[in-house]
Amino acid sequence: MKIDWFTVIAQIINFVVLMWLLKKFLYRPILAAIDERESNIKKQLLDAESQKKEADQAKAEFNHKNEIFNKEKDVLMQNAAAEAKAEADKLKATARDEANELKTSLEKAFTEDQATKNDNVAKRLKGEALDIARKTLADLSSVSLEDQTVTVFIERLNGLKVDEKTKFSEALKGGKTILVQSAFVLSKEQQALIQKTVSSLLKPDSTFEFKVQPELISGIEILTNGYKLSWSVAEYLGSFEDDVEVATK
């Protein structure tokens, strides 16, 4: 059999050209697409891993801060409860001591003036001393003494009679500053509550000034242009002293 070398060489050339064309226009784009796809997948995996690490780190940081916050909150609540209890005990002891002092003074006065005073008067006045002490403690006994004091004072404002409101309104004429004095520092919320209550009752166009006056003995008072409205433990005790003075005349 005779070989047709021309045909063989032509077929070889055709095969080489075909392989070159396939490589250039088919295999190379496919391989490039595969490489690009693989690169994108690797990049997405890296991004996902990075985001997972960031999320885990953020979660750990949040849990840590939340744990610190809970601890601080517990400490603050315990401290607040302890301070409130200490203040309540102190106030009760003070009121009890003052009531005992008044009781002792009354007993001494009655002993010195037994010729003109009888036992019934002594018993009535002693009972009033105890009633005042109980009323004071009942008004102020609370987890938060300051909040309870503000609440009682607001009730006093809301319970003003018509003539008292008229006096208050007259004192506010001319835009006089309203001075609010308290035995403790009023919070912004407490100041706002007092301002709102006064404004709702009297509709004044006045400014407010808040000062601390420890001598009030757990009390609050409003002063403006010669007018005063107050509430405190001392007020109860003063009322009692007036009753004693009238009864012993």
Side-chain angles (χ1 to χ4, degrees), residues 44-160:
Q44 291 176 358
L45 290 175
L46 291 175
D47 290 342
E49 184 66 22
S50 176
Q51 292 176 0
K52 183 177 181 299
K53 289 181 179 179
E54 291 178 358
D56 292 340
Q57 183 179 358
K59 180 181 178 182
E61 186 175 342
F62 171 79
N63 290 335
H64 179 64
K65 290 182 178 179
N66 192 47
E67 183 178 354
I68 293 176
F69 171 77
N70 288 333
K71 290 181 179 178
E72 291 179 348
K73 181 186 68 174
D74 292 339
V75 171
L76 289 175
M77 291 182 65
Q78 291 173 1
N79 291 340
E83 290 177 1
K85 185 178 183 302
E87 287 295 330
D89 293 341
K90 181 179 179 181
L91 180 61
K92 290 176 181 178
T94 300
R96 183 169 56 250
D97 292 341
E98 291 180 353
N100 289 335
E101 289 177 3
L102 286 173
K103 180 181 177 182
T104 301
S105 298
L106 283 174
E107 290 174 344
K108 183 178 179 180
F110 290 147
T111 301
E112 294 173 351
D113 199 21
Q114 286 181 349
T116 57
K117 307 301 179 205
N118 56 45
D119 293 338
N120 291 333
V121 174
K123 291 179 181 179
R124 179 177 66 81
L125 293 176
K126 292 176 185 178
E128 287 181 1
L130 296 176
D131 289 340
I132 289 172
R134 283 195 294 268
K135 188 175 190 309
T136 302
L137 296 176
D139 283 343
L140 294 180
S141 59
S142 174
V143 175
S144 175
L145 296 176
E146 296 176 1
D147 286 344
Q148 186 67 16
T149 300
V150 173
T151 299
V152 174
F153 186 70
I154 293 299
E155 291 176 357
R156 172 67 64 84
L157 287 174
N158 289 326
L160 285 177

Side-chain angles (χ1 to χ4, degrees), residues 7-44:
T7 302
V8 171
I9 292 171
Q11 289 179 349
I12 291 173
I13 292 172
N14 288 337
F15 179 74
V16 171
V17 171
L18 178 61
M19 292 301 295
W20 180 82
L21 291 173
L22 289 174
K23 182 178 180 181
K24 181 174 181 60
F25 296 105
L26 183 61
Y27 297 144
R28 185 173 294 175
I30 290 175
L31 293 175
I34 292 174
D35 291 340
E36 183 179 359
R37 177 65 175 172
E38 184 178 357
S39 177
N40 290 335
I41 291 173
K42 288 181 178 179
K43 183 178 179 181
Q44 291 176 358

